[in-house]
Amino acid sequence: RRKGLMSSLIEGKPAILFDNLKGRVDSPSLEGVLTSEVWQDRILGATGNVHAVNRAAWVFTSNNAELSLDMARRCIRVRLDQGVERPFDRKPGDFQHEDIVQYTRDNRGRLVSAALTLVQGWLDATDKGVVKALGSFEDWSRVVGGILTWAGWKGWLEGRDEMIRMADRQGDQLRVFVQEWAKLTGVIHTSDLVRMAEQGGLLMGTIGDGSDKSKATRLGAFLAKARSEEHTSE
């Protein structure tokens, strides 16, 4: 994955598209490059590192892919809901522009001019207002969010809380688990926590369905990692 990311950056593409992602999107390399202004890696078969400036717009398309929490916090979701069971069966006449690609090519000058007019209008505005920031992308949020808000669009970063909540389902279970843990008294062993989790249907994907020793080991490792992540975030 790292080699593929470096190749895309070296090519200098203004936009990098990952099309039709499926399943769970959880990649430390991808998470790292999204928040890096300069990406460093070694070219396969060569010695020494190569640095590439990251100025690309990263775009992902998927049909309800599941994002890890670290991935979700780096993303802005653009949700397309056609309101029909099979959107791919819609007739061309249902759309304002039957061939959107050809329309864009034919009207490229008008579209670019309209976009630049919005940008210039925001730059000239006396009161640019304050928009909600996206962590690690504060400057970008101020500019892009500011332009859209100035143009009259009121949906900047709406739905983000829902996306984070969906990515942090395990976090919701962990909070319930800790609340139940706090109610226990006396000497508490990992096996007691495993039993408590199973009775409450909590963290089942983490504990697994192996032996009692395996369940205890997996739960202990998970709790140690969760504690480490909490301290890091603080």
Side-chain angles (χ1 to χ4, degrees), residues 59-74:
V59 183
F60 310 91
T61 68
S62 75
N63 188 6
N64 296 321
E66 180 185 356
L67 302 180
S68 68
L69 181 59
D70 284 334
M71 194 68 193
R73 80 166 188 84
R74 291 165 165 81

Side-chain angles (χ1 to χ4, degrees), residues 64-119:
N64 296 321
E66 180 185 356
L67 302 180
S68 68
L69 181 59
D70 284 334
M71 194 68 193
R73 80 166 188 84
R74 291 165 165 81
C75 296
I76 292 180
R77 184 176 66 175
V78 180
R79 188 169 180 81
L80 303 179
D81 185 357
Q82 301 296 319
V84 295
E85 182 179 358
R86 297 178 178 176
F88 49 83
D89 284 338
R90 293 182 65 185
K91 298 179 178 58
D94 294 340
F95 299 91
Q96 181 175 353
H97 304 294
E98 294 188 11
D99 187 343
I100 188 64
V101 175
Q102 189 60 49
Y103 172 83
T104 303
R105 289 171 178 161
D106 294 342
N107 295 273
R108 182 180 182 278
R110 293 175 56 205
L111 295 172
V112 171
S113 176
L116 293 177
T117 299
L118 293 179
V119 174

Side-chain angles (χ1 to χ4, degrees), residues 157-176:
L157 293 186
E158 280 188 1
R160 180 165 171 74
D161 290 342
E162 178 188 0
M163 184 176 67
I164 295 296
R165 179 183 58 78
M166 292 177 63
D168 195 26
R169 290 173 180 172
Q170 191 176 57
D172 291 337
Q173 292 194 31
L174 178 58
R175 282 183 279 275
V176 175

Side-chain angles (χ1 to χ4, degrees), residues 119-176:
V119 174
Q120 191 61 53
W122 176 76
L123 289 173
D124 293 341
T126 304
D127 181 12
K128 292 182 172 58
V130 178
V131 296
K132 186 176 181 181
L134 181 64
S136 301
F137 304 91
E138 291 82 4
D139 289 343
W140 182 88
S141 301
R142 180 181 62 84
V143 174
V144 177
I147 294 170
L148 293 174
T149 302
W150 176 85
W153 190 62
K154 306 299 183 183
W156 178 244
L157 293 186
E158 280 188 1
R160 180 165 171 74
D161 290 342
E162 178 188 0
M163 184 176 67
I164 295 296
R165 179 183 58 78
M166 292 177 63
D168 195 26
R169 290 173 180 172
Q170 191 176 57
D172 291 337
Q173 292 194 31
L174 178 58
R175 282 183 279 275
V176 175

